[in-house]
Amino acid sequence: QVRVVESGGGLVQPGGSLRLSCATSGTILSADAMNWYRQATGQEREWVAGMTTGGQFKYADAEKGRFTISRDRAKMTVYLRIDSLKPEDSGIYYCKARVRGRDYWGNGTLVSVSP
């Protein structure tokens, strides 16, 4: 079994910061790749950042400079830090882990940026 759990979302004022967590557990040593997606109200889910199968950190062009990925191998967790939060950052953030060629989704964590 593979489990993916996101956490760290919440209500934040513009300009603030959040660190989202994507923790994996189960019959794995580590995920081959982990990616973050955001789905805003009324919009399709879109990729925003992730760690590739080669261990490289990638970001959507619009998020570069504000989004930062880090990894804790011991905890099998990938973090997404978002700085200078904007209202358009709001949405449900989902984590997708790729393990042995299969994708596993978490249930998301809600980020709401408003005054």
Side-chain angles (χ1 to χ4, degrees):
Q1 61 178 342
V2 176
R3 298 177 182 176
V4 180
V5 180
E6 305 96 333
S7 63
L11 177 62
V12 186
Q13 294 183 350
S17 298
L18 281 175
R19 190 181 72 165
L20 310 181
S21 298
C22 177
T24 62
S25 63
T27 55
I28 61 173
L29 294 177
S30 64
D32 300 312
M34 298 181 71
N35 288 271
W36 286 96
Y37 296 77
R38 177 181 62 232
Q39 186 166 16
T41 301
Q43 301 184 21
E44 296 182 352
R45 189 175 302 182
E46 61 179 348
W47 178 85
V48 295
M51 181 191 75
T52 71
T53 56
Q56 303 299 121
F57 298 153
K58 301 290 185 180
Y59 307 91
D61 289 341
E63 322 301 347
K64 290 182 178 178
R66 298 192 303 114
F67 283 42
T68 305
I69 295 175
S70 60
R71 180 184 185 181
D72 187 329
R73 289 184 175 85
K75 296 181 179 179
M76 295 192 295
T77 299
V78 166
Y79 304 94
L80 176 64
R81 179 178 177 85
I82 310 175
D83 295 309
S84 301
L85 282 158
K86 303 176 180 179
E88 50 264 43
D89 295 326
S90 298
I92 301 176
Y93 284 74
Y94 297 91
C95 179
K96 182 182 73 175
R98 188 171 182 84
V99 182
R100 294 186 294 275
R102 298 185 63 183
D103 292 329
Y104 300 85
W105 289 90
N107 291 322
T109 184
L110 178 64
V111 173
S112 181
V113 184
S114 64

